[in-house]
Amino acid sequence: PVFPTPLQALIAVPNHAALPAGARILDAGCGAGDGLKAIRLAYPGAQCIGLEFSRPLCWLARLRCPWAKVRCAAIWLDDWSAYDMVYLFQRPETMPRAVAKAQAEMKAGSWLVSLEFEARDLQPTAVVEASAGRPVWLYQWPSTAKML
């Protein structure tokens, strides 16, 4: 299924997750490029990288986002250690896998950002509203586990 990111969804994220110009931001599962467009609007000086498993969607994202580097690849096989931020708009059932991958690979100071779906095992650094009822969860690495 395709879940496009609304263009304005990440506009408030830089208020909580400052990144230097030239930061590398991954849209993990970029679909047709909507998330890449939202990232570019929020972080105009960043290097935008998209990964998409579907070849037709990957091709479409390349066409719609010629300023981004888009690769046809599985997000679970890519190494996330090179990125300053990893953006996800996944499904609730894939969030535990994303958290495990982030814990294994993300560098100190980097950010995991998820539209709508919370990483339930982590304590968020911030939560902002993308639009009414649509939270954006921000986790800075190293993230801490929630206390039960």
Side-chain angles (χ1 to χ4, degrees):
V2 177
F3 303 100
T5 297
L7 184 60
Q8 298 286 328
L10 306 177
I11 203 71
V13 171
N15 296 334
H16 302 276
L19 294 177
R24 293 173 46 88
I25 303 176
L26 172 67
D27 182 352
C30 69
D34 295 282
L36 290 167
K37 288 182 174 192
I39 291 167
R40 186 177 190 205
L41 184 63
Y43 293 97
Q47 297 177 47
C48 298
I49 299 102
L51 289 179
E52 177 54 50
F53 187 74
S54 164
R55 290 201 182 276
L57 288 176
C58 183
W59 176 83
L60 187 56
R62 285 179 183 155
L63 184 68
R64 294 179 70 215
C65 307
W67 36 264
K69 295 179 182 177
V70 179
R71 291 187 290 125
C72 296
I75 65 171
W76 309 116
L77 300 179
D78 191 63
D79 181 1
W80 292 1
S81 66
Y83 304 111
D84 299 295
M85 180 177 283
V86 174
Y87 168 69
L88 301 164
F89 186 17
Q90 289 290 308
R91 299 167 56 106
E93 61 269 19
T94 61
M95 288 307 293
R97 188 173 182 188
V99 168
K101 183 164 183 60
Q103 288 175 323
E105 297 177 359
M106 291 185 74
K107 64 186 175 185
S110 62
W111 293 86
L112 180 67
V113 176
S114 174
L115 176 59
E116 286 198 39
F117 303 114
E118 178 183 10
R120 295 191 186 274
D121 295 333
L122 301 177
Q123 184 68 44
T125 305
V127 182
V128 297
E129 261 195 41
S131 60
R134 297 185 82 180
V136 179
W137 301 86
L138 290 82
Y139 306 90
Q140 189 171 30
W141 238 250
S143 189
T144 57
K146 282 187 176 179
M147 300 304 289
L148 300 177

